[in-house]
């Protein structure tokens, strides 16, 4: 069965950087896209960044110019490089695989990112 394992979260000061990783175990067929979502306390889950199988990428306006999503197909891993972090980036970050045959896709367990002095 497919499992997504997210890692790389932690505590960082404003202006710092973190790189999140999402490793995929098992085979995902007909993959449309992979993305990162986040959910802050008291907030709804929001899309942060997504990369389509064809290579197109989109970001939330709040992270444009600071975050970079990338994929290593050989390692079955998607990354989120987060630079110039702000306190408002504090959230639990979830990775997701979008597929045409499973409505909810596949989700990782989430990794906590805290940006604070």
């Amino acid at each position: 069965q497919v499992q997504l394992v997210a890692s790389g979260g932690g505590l960082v000061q404003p202006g710092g950087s973190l790189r999140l990783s999402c490793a995929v175990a098992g085979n995902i067929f007909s993959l449309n896209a992979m993305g990162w979502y986040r959910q802050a306390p008291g907030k709804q889950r929001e899309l942060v960044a997504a990369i389509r199988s064809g290579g197109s990428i989109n970001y939330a306006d709040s992270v444009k110019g600071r975050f970079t999503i990338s994929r290593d197909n050989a390692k079955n891993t998607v990354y989120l490089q987060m630079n110039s972090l702000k306190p408002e980036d504090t959230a639990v970050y979830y990775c997701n695989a979008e597929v045409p045959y499973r409505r909810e896709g596949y989700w990782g367990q989430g990794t906590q990112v805290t940006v604070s002095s």
Side-chain angles (χ1 to χ4, degrees):
Q1 184 58 52
V2 172
Q3 287 190 325
L4 277 60
V5 180
S7 62
L11 175 64
V12 65
Q13 293 184 340
S17 298
L18 286 173
R19 188 177 73 161
L20 306 183
S21 300
C22 179
V24 178
N27 292 325
I28 295 180
F29 302 98
S30 301
L31 179 65
N32 291 340
M34 295 198 70
W36 287 94
Y37 293 75
R38 68 186 181 188
Q39 187 167 21
K43 303 290 185 179
Q44 293 186 353
R45 185 183 63 191
E46 65 173 346
L47 177 66
V48 177
I51 181 168
R52 299 236 153 235
S53 60
S56 62
I57 295 171
N58 65 281
Y59 297 97
D61 289 340
S62 59
V63 307
K64 287 180 180 177
R66 301 187 297 119
F67 290 11
T68 303
I69 188 170
S70 62
R71 186 174 59 216
D72 187 335
N73 291 329
K75 296 182 178 180
N76 293 320
T77 302
V78 64
Y79 304 95
L80 185 68
Q81 179 66 47
M82 305 184 295
N83 299 325
S84 302
L85 282 162
K86 304 175 180 179
E88 51 263 43
D89 295 318
T90 296
V92 178
Y93 285 71
Y94 301 89
C95 63
N96 168 262
E98 178 186 311
V99 297
Y101 56 88
R102 196 172 193 256
R103 183 187 303 176
E104 70 273 29
Y106 298 100
W107 290 90
Q109 84 284 2
T111 183
Q112 176 71 49
V113 172
T114 302
V115 184
S116 176
S117 298

